[in-house]
Amino acid sequence: MDWKLEGSARETESDVLQEQEAILEDTGEDGLSDSFRLLQIDVECEHQEGETLPTGAAVWCSKNVQRKQRHWEKIVAAKKSKRKQEKERRKANRVENSGICPQHSKRFLRSLTKEKLLEAKHSGPRLCIDLSMTHHMSKKELSRLAGQIRRLYGSNKKADRPFWICLTGFATDSPLYEECLRINDGFSSYLLDVTEEDCFSLFPLETLVYLTPDSEHALEDVDLNKVYILGGLVDESIQKKVTFQKAREHSVKTARLPIQEYMVRRKNGKNYHSEILAINQVFDILSTYFETRNWPEALKKGVSSRKGYVLQNSVE
């Protein structure tokens, strides 16, 4: 008879432990202790409804359940501690990557970004995107250009020393403007200047520097007294010297990125080498140089290996 009672007690304990495991999965950390107390009450009720167990067997079952309960509570505490450590590690990584203190709210960060951009309007370097050549572009080319404008603006927002950006020759009823509104979230709220005026009539000609890969002069520095112009042109037919000729017509100085001075051609299967970059890639180079005053570092940021160029010191 005793072995039957002991077997019944063990089965009861097994059922209770299985129920504890199920509750642990469903409830998680909160309410765990309450669940264990309810399970203990259920065990006592089962003993009262069925055959009365001897006192020794009932005490033995209760002690084992309590021991298992303590064991599970330790597991839950360990998982909770591990979760907390992982959360702190992720927070530390975000801080390291962004360079921003963790206590700053998103509202504060937006305010800080706005303040930096507005400060750049008065004292920072100026960059014009000449959008007066988009009337011959296809819808696909317009969409690509709109995406480049979005990426350029996003990079400028993240910069420690942002540029002030002006979109010139840009009509609000143009297909490009409509495409920017369509694919760029919040485009109408971008902190930049938008004007239908041409960049050549907007600023004194002697302050303008048109950046074009066809120029004979390499850009040596970013001058706060100059206004740099990028041609907003995505042309899959690769018309040559379009921006260079436009600058010459207005007697404006030109310059190219110093790719030839700091980079060399790398052999590739297609024998392809190009210095033509998207406007956001050119901007990444200018922005990085303005912060670091290091052309190799800046060029590495914007010139991908697909262009067929690598830094001189990276060649074996």
Short mmCIF file of all heavy atoms in Angstrom, two decimals, residues 56-104:
data_model
loop_
_atom_site.label_atom_id
_atom_site.label_comp_id
_atom_site.label_asym_id
_atom_site.label_seq_id
_atom_site.Cartn_x
_atom_site.Cartn_y
_atom_site.Cartn_z
N GLY A 56 3.58 11.73 6.04
CA GLY A 56 4.97 11.71 5.55
C GLY A 56 5.04 11.88 4.05
O GLY A 56 5.86 12.63 3.52
N ALA A 57 4.14 11.20 3.29
CA ALA A 57 4.17 11.31 1.84
C ALA A 57 3.76 12.70 1.40
O ALA A 57 4.34 13.26 0.46
CB ALA A 57 3.21 10.27 1.23
N ALA A 58 2.76 13.32 2.08
CA ALA A 58 2.31 14.66 1.72
C ALA A 58 3.42 15.67 1.95
O ALA A 58 3.65 16.55 1.12
CB ALA A 58 1.07 15.04 2.53
N VAL A 59 4.13 15.53 3.07
CA VAL A 59 5.23 16.44 3.36
C VAL A 59 6.35 16.25 2.35
O VAL A 59 6.94 17.20 1.87
CB VAL A 59 5.75 16.22 4.80
CG1 VAL A 59 7.02 17.04 5.04
CG2 VAL A 59 4.68 16.59 5.81
N TRP A 60 6.64 15.00 1.99
CA TRP A 60 7.70 14.69 1.01
C TRP A 60 7.39 15.35 -0.34
O TRP A 60 8.23 15.97 -0.96
CB TRP A 60 7.80 13.18 0.86
CG TRP A 60 8.72 12.75 -0.23
CD1 TRP A 60 10.06 12.59 -0.15
CD2 TRP A 60 8.37 12.43 -1.57
NE1 TRP A 60 10.59 12.20 -1.34
CE2 TRP A 60 9.57 12.10 -2.25
CE3 TRP A 60 7.17 12.40 -2.28
CZ2 TRP A 60 9.58 11.73 -3.58
CZ3 TRP A 60 7.19 12.03 -3.60
CH2 TRP A 60 8.39 11.70 -4.25
N CYS A 61 6.11 15.25 -0.79
CA CYS A 61 5.70 15.86 -2.05
C CYS A 61 5.83 17.37 -2.00
O CYS A 61 6.33 17.99 -2.91
CB CYS A 61 4.25 15.46 -2.37
SG CYS A 61 3.61 16.19 -3.90
N SER A 62 5.40 17.97 -0.90
CA SER A 62 5.45 19.41 -0.78
C SER A 62 6.89 19.92 -0.82
O SER A 62 7.19 20.91 -1.46
CB SER A 62 4.77 19.83 0.52
OG SER A 62 4.88 21.23 0.69
N LYS A 63 7.80 19.25 -0.13
CA LYS A 63 9.20 19.68 -0.12
C LYS A 63 9.83 19.60 -1.50
O LYS A 63 10.60 20.47 -1.90
CB LYS A 63 9.99 18.84 0.87
CG LYS A 63 9.71 19.18 2.32
CD LYS A 63 10.57 18.34 3.25
CE LYS A 63 10.33 18.73 4.72
NZ LYS A 63 11.15 17.92 5.64
N ASN A 64 9.51 18.55 -2.23
CA ASN A 64 10.07 18.41 -3.58
C ASN A 64 9.54 19.47 -4.53
O ASN A 64 10.28 20.01 -5.35
CB ASN A 64 9.76 17.01 -4.13
CG ASN A 64 10.77 15.99 -3.68
OD1 ASN A 64 11.81 15.84 -4.30
ND2 ASN A 64 10.49 15.33 -2.58
N VAL A 65 8.25 19.77 -4.42
CA VAL A 65 7.68 20.83 -5.25
C VAL A 65 8.32 22.16 -4.94
O VAL A 65 8.66 22.95 -5.82
CB VAL A 65 6.14 20.91 -5.05
CG1 VAL A 65 5.59 22.16 -5.72
CG2 VAL A 65 5.47 19.66 -5.61
N GLN A 66 8.53 22.41 -3.64
CA GLN A 66 9.18 23.66 -3.25
C GLN A 66 10.61 23.73 -3.76
O GLN A 66 11.08 24.80 -4.19
CB GLN A 66 9.15 23.80 -1.72
CG GLN A 66 7.76 24.04 -1.16
CD GLN A 66 7.76 24.07 0.35
OE1 GLN A 66 8.82 23.96 0.97
NE2 GLN A 66 6.56 24.19 0.93
N ARG A 67 11.31 22.60 -3.71
CA ARG A 67 12.69 22.58 -4.20
C ARG A 67 12.72 22.86 -5.70
O ARG A 67 13.55 23.64 -6.20
CB ARG A 67 13.32 21.22 -3.91
CG ARG A 67 14.76 21.08 -4.40
CD ARG A 67 15.37 19.78 -3.94
NE ARG A 67 14.61 18.63 -4.41
CZ ARG A 67 14.73 18.10 -5.63
NH1 ARG A 67 15.58 18.65 -6.49
NH2 ARG A 67 14.02 17.06 -6.00
N LYS A 68 11.82 22.24 -6.45
CA LYS A 68 11.75 22.49 -7.89
C LYS A 68 11.34 23.94 -8.18
O LYS A 68 11.80 24.56 -9.14
CB LYS A 68 10.74 21.53 -8.54
CG LYS A 68 11.17 20.07 -8.49
CD LYS A 68 12.42 19.83 -9.33
CE LYS A 68 12.79 18.36 -9.36
NZ LYS A 68 14.02 18.12 -10.17
N GLN A 69 10.45 24.44 -7.32
CA GLN A 69 10.02 25.83 -7.50
C GLN A 69 11.20 26.77 -7.36
O GLN A 69 11.38 27.70 -8.17
CB GLN A 69 8.95 26.17 -6.48
CG GLN A 69 8.53 27.64 -6.50
CD GLN A 69 7.49 27.97 -5.46
OE1 GLN A 69 6.72 27.11 -5.07
NE2 GLN A 69 7.48 29.20 -5.02
N ARG A 70 12.02 26.56 -6.33
CA ARG A 70 13.21 27.41 -6.15
C ARG A 70 14.16 27.30 -7.33
O ARG A 70 14.78 28.27 -7.76
CB ARG A 70 13.92 27.03 -4.85
CG ARG A 70 13.17 27.44 -3.58
CD ARG A 70 14.06 27.33 -2.36
NE ARG A 70 14.46 25.94 -2.09
CZ ARG A 70 13.77 25.10 -1.34
NH1 ARG A 70 12.64 25.50 -0.75
NH2 ARG A 70 14.19 23.86 -1.15
N HIS A 71 14.26 26.07 -7.87
CA HIS A 71 15.13 25.85 -9.03
C HIS A 71 14.65 26.66 -10.24
O HIS A 71 15.44 27.33 -10.92
CB HIS A 71 15.15 24.36 -9.37
CG HIS A 71 15.89 24.03 -10.64
ND1 HIS A 71 17.26 24.17 -10.75
CD2 HIS A 71 15.45 23.60 -11.85
CE1 HIS A 71 17.64 23.83 -11.97
NE2 HIS A 71 16.56 23.47 -12.66
N TRP A 72 13.34 26.64 -10.48
CA TRP A 72 12.80 27.39 -11.62
C TRP A 72 12.91 28.89 -11.41
O TRP A 72 13.14 29.65 -12.35
CB TRP A 72 11.33 26.99 -11.85
CG TRP A 72 11.19 25.74 -12.63
CD1 TRP A 72 10.79 24.53 -12.18
CD2 TRP A 72 11.49 25.56 -14.01
NE1 TRP A 72 10.83 23.59 -13.17
CE2 TRP A 72 11.25 24.20 -14.32
CE3 TRP A 72 11.94 26.41 -15.02
CZ2 TRP A 72 11.44 23.67 -15.58
CZ3 TRP A 72 12.11 25.88 -16.29
CH2 TRP A 72 11.87 24.54 -16.56
N GLU A 73 12.75 29.32 -10.17
CA GLU A 73 12.89 30.75 -9.89
C GLU A 73 14.31 31.23 -10.17
O GLU A 73 14.53 32.35 -10.64
CB GLU A 73 12.50 31.04 -8.44
CG GLU A 73 11.00 30.97 -8.19
CD GLU A 73 10.64 31.19 -6.75
OE1 GLU A 73 11.53 31.03 -5.88
OE2 GLU A 73 9.47 31.50 -6.46
N LYS A 74 15.30 30.39 -9.87
CA LYS A 74 16.68 30.73 -10.19
C LYS A 74 16.90 30.85 -11.69
O LYS A 74 17.60 31.74 -12.18
CB LYS A 74 17.63 29.67 -9.61
CG LYS A 74 17.76 29.72 -8.10
CD LYS A 74 18.73 28.65 -7.60
CE LYS A 74 18.86 28.69 -6.08
NZ LYS A 74 19.78 27.65 -5.59
N ILE A 75 16.27 29.94 -12.45
CA ILE A 75 16.38 29.98 -13.92
C ILE A 75 15.78 31.27 -14.46
O ILE A 75 16.36 31.96 -15.31
CB ILE A 75 15.70 28.75 -14.55
CG1 ILE A 75 16.46 27.48 -14.19
CG2 ILE A 75 15.61 28.91 -16.07
CD1 ILE A 75 15.80 26.21 -14.71
N VAL A 76 14.59 31.62 -13.94
CA VAL A 76 13.94 32.85 -14.38
C VAL A 76 14.78 34.07 -14.05
O VAL A 76 14.94 35.00 -14.86
CB VAL A 76 12.54 32.98 -13.75
CG1 VAL A 76 11.94 34.35 -14.02
CG2 VAL A 76 11.61 31.89 -14.29
N ALA A 77 15.36 34.10 -12.85
CA ALA A 77 16.20 35.23 -12.44
C ALA A 77 17.42 35.35 -13.35
O ALA A 77 17.84 36.45 -13.72
CB ALA A 77 16.62 35.06 -10.99
N ALA A 78 18.01 34.18 -13.71
CA ALA A 78 19.18 34.20 -14.59
C ALA A 78 18.82 34.73 -15.97
O ALA A 78 19.56 35.51 -16.58
CB ALA A 78 19.77 32.80 -14.69
N LYS A 79 17.66 34.31 -16.49
CA LYS A 79 17.22 34.78 -17.80
C LYS A 79 16.95 36.29 -17.76
O LYS A 79 17.27 37.01 -18.70
CB LYS A 79 15.95 34.03 -18.24
CG LYS A 79 16.21 32.59 -18.64
CD LYS A 79 14.94 31.94 -19.14
CE LYS A 79 15.21 30.51 -19.63
NZ LYS A 79 13.99 29.86 -20.13
N LYS A 80 16.35 36.74 -16.66
CA LYS A 80 16.06 38.17 -16.53
C LYS A 80 17.35 38.98 -16.50
O LYS A 80 17.46 40.04 -17.14
CB LYS A 80 15.26 38.40 -15.26
CG LYS A 80 14.81 39.84 -15.06
CD LYS A 80 13.95 39.97 -13.82
CE LYS A 80 13.48 41.41 -13.65
NZ LYS A 80 12.62 41.57 -12.44
N SER A 81 18.35 38.48 -15.77
CA SER A 81 19.64 39.17 -15.71
C SER A 81 20.32 39.20 -17.07
O SER A 81 20.89 40.21 -17.48
CB SER A 81 20.54 38.47 -14.69
OG SER A 81 21.81 39.07 -14.66
N LYS A 82 20.24 38.06 -17.79
CA LYS A 82 20.86 37.99 -19.11
C LYS A 82 20.18 38.95 -20.07
O LYS A 82 20.84 39.62 -20.89
CB LYS A 82 20.78 36.56 -19.65
CG LYS A 82 21.50 36.35 -20.96
CD LYS A 82 21.44 34.89 -21.39
CE LYS A 82 22.18 34.69 -22.71
NZ LYS A 82 22.12 33.27 -23.14
N ARG A 83 18.84 39.06 -20.00
CA ARG A 83 18.10 39.98 -20.85
C ARG A 83 18.50 41.43 -20.58
O ARG A 83 18.64 42.23 -21.49
CB ARG A 83 16.60 39.80 -20.61
CG ARG A 83 15.88 39.18 -21.81
CD ARG A 83 14.39 39.12 -21.57
NE ARG A 83 13.94 37.75 -21.63
CZ ARG A 83 13.49 37.07 -20.61
NH1 ARG A 83 13.41 37.63 -19.43
NH2 ARG A 83 13.12 35.83 -20.74
N LYS A 84 18.67 41.73 -19.30
CA LYS A 84 19.05 43.09 -18.92
C LYS A 84 20.45 43.43 -19.44
O LYS A 84 20.69 44.53 -19.96
CB LYS A 84 19.03 43.22 -17.40
CG LYS A 84 19.32 44.62 -16.90
CD LYS A 84 19.22 44.69 -15.39
CE LYS A 84 19.53 46.10 -14.89
NZ LYS A 84 19.43 46.18 -13.40
N GLN A 85 21.39 42.48 -19.34
CA GLN A 85 22.74 42.70 -19.86
C GLN A 85 22.73 42.90 -21.37
O GLN A 85 23.45 43.75 -21.90
CB GLN A 85 23.65 41.53 -19.48
CG GLN A 85 23.91 41.41 -17.99
CD GLN A 85 24.72 40.17 -17.64
OE1 GLN A 85 25.08 39.38 -18.51
NE2 GLN A 85 24.99 39.99 -16.36
N GLU A 86 21.91 42.12 -22.07
CA GLU A 86 21.83 42.23 -23.52
C GLU A 86 21.25 43.58 -23.93
O GLU A 86 21.71 44.21 -24.89
CB GLU A 86 20.96 41.10 -24.09
CG GLU A 86 20.77 41.11 -25.59
CD GLU A 86 22.07 40.88 -26.35
OE1 GLU A 86 23.03 40.38 -25.75
OE2 GLU A 86 22.10 41.21 -27.55
N LYS A 87 20.25 44.05 -23.18
CA LYS A 87 19.66 45.35 -23.45
C LYS A 87 20.67 46.47 -23.26
O LYS A 87 20.77 47.39 -24.08
CB LYS A 87 18.46 45.57 -22.53
CG LYS A 87 17.69 46.85 -22.80
CD LYS A 87 16.49 46.94 -21.87
CE LYS A 87 15.71 48.24 -22.14
NZ LYS A 87 14.52 48.34 -21.24
N GLU A 88 21.47 46.38 -22.20
CA GLU A 88 22.51 47.38 -21.95
C GLU A 88 23.59 47.35 -23.02
O GLU A 88 24.13 48.38 -23.40
CB GLU A 88 23.12 47.17 -20.56
CG GLU A 88 22.16 47.47 -19.42
CD GLU A 88 22.76 47.16 -18.06
OE1 GLU A 88 23.87 46.56 -18.04
OE2 GLU A 88 22.15 47.51 -17.04
N ARG A 89 23.92 46.14 -23.50
CA ARG A 89 24.93 46.01 -24.55
C ARG A 89 24.46 46.66 -25.84
O ARG A 89 25.22 47.38 -26.50
CB ARG A 89 25.25 44.53 -24.80
CG ARG A 89 26.37 44.30 -25.80
CD ARG A 89 26.51 42.83 -26.12
NE ARG A 89 25.34 42.33 -26.83
CZ ARG A 89 25.13 42.48 -28.13
NH1 ARG A 89 26.02 43.16 -28.86
NH2 ARG A 89 24.05 41.99 -28.69
N ARG A 90 23.18 46.43 -26.20
CA ARG A 90 22.64 47.05 -27.42
C ARG A 90 22.62 48.57 -27.29
O ARG A 90 22.90 49.29 -28.24
CB ARG A 90 21.24 46.51 -27.72
CG ARG A 90 21.24 45.07 -28.21
CD ARG A 90 19.90 44.74 -28.86
NE ARG A 90 18.79 44.89 -27.93
CZ ARG A 90 18.30 43.91 -27.20
NH1 ARG A 90 18.83 42.70 -27.27
NH2 ARG A 90 17.27 44.12 -26.39
N LYS A 91 22.25 49.06 -26.10
CA LYS A 91 22.23 50.50 -25.89
C LYS A 91 23.64 51.08 -26.04
O LYS A 91 23.83 52.13 -26.65
CB LYS A 91 21.68 50.83 -24.51
CG LYS A 91 21.63 52.32 -24.21
CD LYS A 91 21.20 52.60 -22.78
CE LYS A 91 19.72 52.45 -22.62
NZ LYS A 91 19.27 52.90 -21.27
N ALA A 92 24.65 50.38 -25.49
CA ALA A 92 26.03 50.85 -25.59
C ALA A 92 26.49 50.88 -27.04
O ALA A 92 27.20 51.81 -27.47
CB ALA A 92 26.95 49.96 -24.76
N ASN A 93 26.07 49.89 -27.83
CA ASN A 93 26.43 49.86 -29.25
C ASN A 93 25.81 51.03 -30.00
O ASN A 93 26.45 51.64 -30.87
CB ASN A 93 26.00 48.54 -29.89
CG ASN A 93 26.86 47.38 -29.47
OD1 ASN A 93 27.99 47.58 -29.01
ND2 ASN A 93 26.36 46.17 -29.59
N ARG A 94 24.55 51.34 -29.69
CA ARG A 94 23.90 52.47 -30.35
C ARG A 94 24.61 53.77 -30.02
O ARG A 94 24.78 54.63 -30.88
CB ARG A 94 22.42 52.55 -29.94
CG ARG A 94 21.56 51.47 -30.54
CD ARG A 94 20.09 51.83 -30.42
NE ARG A 94 19.67 51.95 -29.03
CZ ARG A 94 19.18 50.97 -28.31
NH1 ARG A 94 19.07 49.76 -28.84
NH2 ARG A 94 18.81 51.16 -27.05
N VAL A 95 25.01 53.91 -28.77
CA VAL A 95 25.71 55.13 -28.36
C VAL A 95 27.05 55.24 -29.07
O VAL A 95 27.43 56.30 -29.56
CB VAL A 95 25.92 55.14 -26.83
CG1 VAL A 95 26.80 56.31 -26.42
CG2 VAL A 95 24.59 55.21 -26.11
N GLU A 96 27.77 54.12 -29.16
CA GLU A 96 29.08 54.12 -29.82
C GLU A 96 28.97 54.46 -31.29
O GLU A 96 29.78 55.20 -31.84
CB GLU A 96 29.75 52.76 -29.64
CG GLU A 96 31.14 52.67 -30.24
CD GLU A 96 31.76 51.30 -30.04
OE1 GLU A 96 31.17 50.49 -29.30
OE2 GLU A 96 32.83 51.05 -30.60
N ASN A 97 27.94 53.92 -31.95
CA ASN A 97 27.78 54.14 -33.38
C ASN A 97 27.30 55.55 -33.70
O ASN A 97 27.66 56.13 -34.72
CB ASN A 97 26.81 53.12 -33.98
CG ASN A 97 27.37 51.72 -33.93
OD1 ASN A 97 28.59 51.54 -33.91
ND2 ASN A 97 26.51 50.71 -33.90
N SER A 98 26.46 56.08 -32.85
CA SER A 98 25.89 57.40 -33.14
C SER A 98 26.66 58.55 -32.53
O SER A 98 26.59 59.67 -32.99
CB SER A 98 24.44 57.46 -32.63
OG SER A 98 24.42 57.33 -31.21
N GLY A 99 27.42 58.25 -31.47
CA GLY A 99 28.16 59.30 -30.79
C GLY A 99 27.26 60.23 -30.01
O GLY A 99 27.64 61.33 -29.64
N ILE A 100 26.02 59.79 -29.75
CA ILE A 100 25.05 60.63 -29.04
C ILE A 100 24.77 60.03 -27.66
O ILE A 100 24.70 58.82 -27.52
CB ILE A 100 23.73 60.72 -29.84
CG1 ILE A 100 23.99 61.30 -31.22
CG2 ILE A 100 22.72 61.57 -29.08
CD1 ILE A 100 24.53 62.72 -31.20
N CYS A 101 24.65 60.86 -26.66
CA CYS A 101 24.39 60.38 -25.31
C CYS A 101 23.02 59.70 -25.25
O CYS A 101 22.06 60.18 -25.85
CB CYS A 101 24.42 61.55 -24.32
SG CYS A 101 26.04 62.33 -24.23
N PRO A 102 22.90 58.57 -24.53
CA PRO A 102 21.66 57.80 -24.54
C PRO A 102 20.49 58.52 -23.90
O PRO A 102 19.36 58.20 -24.17
CB PRO A 102 22.04 56.54 -23.75
CG PRO A 102 23.19 56.95 -22.89
CD PRO A 102 23.94 57.98 -23.69
N GLN A 103 20.75 59.51 -23.02
CA GLN A 103 19.63 60.16 -22.35
C GLN A 103 18.90 61.15 -23.24
O GLN A 103 17.86 61.66 -22.87
CB GLN A 103 20.13 60.88 -21.09
CG GLN A 103 21.07 62.05 -21.35
CD GLN A 103 22.52 61.62 -21.34
OE1 GLN A 103 22.80 60.43 -21.54
NE2 GLN A 103 23.43 62.54 -21.08
N HIS A 104 19.44 61.44 -24.42
CA HIS A 104 18.79 62.38 -25.31
C HIS A 104 17.59 61.74 -26.00
O HIS A 104 17.70 60.66 -26.58
CB HIS A 104 19.78 62.88 -26.37
CG HIS A 104 20.87 63.74 -25.79
ND1 HIS A 104 22.06 63.99 -26.43
CD2 HIS A 104 20.94 64.41 -24.61
CE1 HIS A 104 22.82 64.77 -25.68
NE2 HIS A 104 22.16 65.04 -24.57
#
